[in-house]
Amino acid sequence: MPIEQTLSMIKPDGVKRGLIGEVIGRFEKAGLKIRAMKMLHLSLNQARAFYAVHKERPFFDSLTQFMSSGPIVALILEGDNAIQVNRDLMGATDYRKAAPGTIRADFAKEIEANIVHGSDAVETAQVEIAFFFNALERV
Ligand code: ATP
Ligand code: MG
C-alpha cells in the first residue's frame, strides 16, 4: 500500500458539538499519523474557493455558508492508503447511507452538516493540503 497524505477537516458542526477529540481519536486508533493541524474560521470566500469543484451544484451556497459559520479544524493525515482509510472512517456523504460505526453514521444529522471532510484522490489531497498548510507547518 502506498504511503499517502490526505486533508481532513472537522466541519463547524463537529467543532460546535464537541467532537474534535472523538474524531481525532478515531484517526489515531486507525493508525493515521497527524502531520499538521490547525483551527481556523473560513471566510465565505475561502469556503467558496475550497469547494469550488461544487460551484454548479444546487447546495453550493448553503454548503459554503455552513462551512464559514464557525471554526473548523484542518489536519494532514498520513499513512498506508490514507485517503481511502480516512474515507472509510468518515462513511458515506449521506449519513443515512453511511456504514454503522463510521463518523457520519454515528454523529451526523444532516447531509450537509456531516462532521468531517476528507480528500477523495491523490491530486485533490495535494491541492487541499496546499490550501491550508505551507511547508513550515508540516512535520
Ligand atoms: P467532503 O467533500 O465534504 O469530504 P464528500 O466527498 O463525501 O464530502 P461531496 O460530494 O464532495 O461529498 O460533497 C461535499 C459536501 O457537500 C458534503 O460533505 C456535504 O457537506 C455537502 N453535500 C453533498 N451533497 C449534498 C446535498 N445533496 N445536499 C446538501 N449538501 C450536500
Ligand atoms: Mg468531496
Side-chain angles (χ1 to χ4, degrees):
M1 290 288 187
I3 299 281
E4 293 173 341
Q5 289 193 339
T6 189
L7 189 281
S8 164
M9 238 196 293
I10 304 174
K11 296 183 178 185
D13 57 325
V15 173
K16 280 195 190 101
R17 291 173 56 196
L19 294 170
I20 296 172
E22 170 71 33
V23 170
I24 292 176
R26 291 182 183 216
F27 295 153
E28 292 189 324
K29 283 193 196 89
L32 293 168
K33 303 281 183 237
I34 297 166
R35 294 298 184 208
M37 178 162 69
K38 67 169 85 162
M39 178 179 269
L40 70 164
H41 190 149
L42 293 171
S43 68
L44 180 60
N45 278 341
Q46 288 167 335
R48 290 172 72 89
F50 183 80
Y51 274 121
V53 62
H54 293 311
K55 64 178 184 299
E56 308 301 337
R57 307 280 283 275
F59 55 81
F60 180 69
D61 283 346
S62 172
L63 171 64
T64 52
Q65 278 164 24
F66 161 62
M67 289 302 298
S68 57
S69 67
I72 59 103
V73 175
L75 308 96
I76 301 176
L77 303 175
E78 184 182 277
D80 283 347
N81 208 21
I83 293 167
Q84 190 60 47
V85 168
N86 181 40
R87 297 215 32 120
D88 290 346
L89 291 171
M90 289 162 47
T93 310
D94 182 347
Y95 68 99
R96 292 165 297 193
K97 297 181 185 149
T102 59
I103 294 167
R104 286 166 169 170
D106 286 350
F107 300 112
K109 295 175 177 167
E110 298 170 34
I111 185 163
E112 180 175 271
N114 58 3
I115 313 289
V116 278
H117 161 83
S119 308
D120 59 12
V122 172
E123 300 72 31
T124 47
Q126 284 172 354
V127 171
E128 292 177 359
I129 285 171
F131 183 92
F132 281 107
F133 297 100
N134 66 39
L136 286 174
E137 295 170 316
R138 307 183 202 177
V139 298

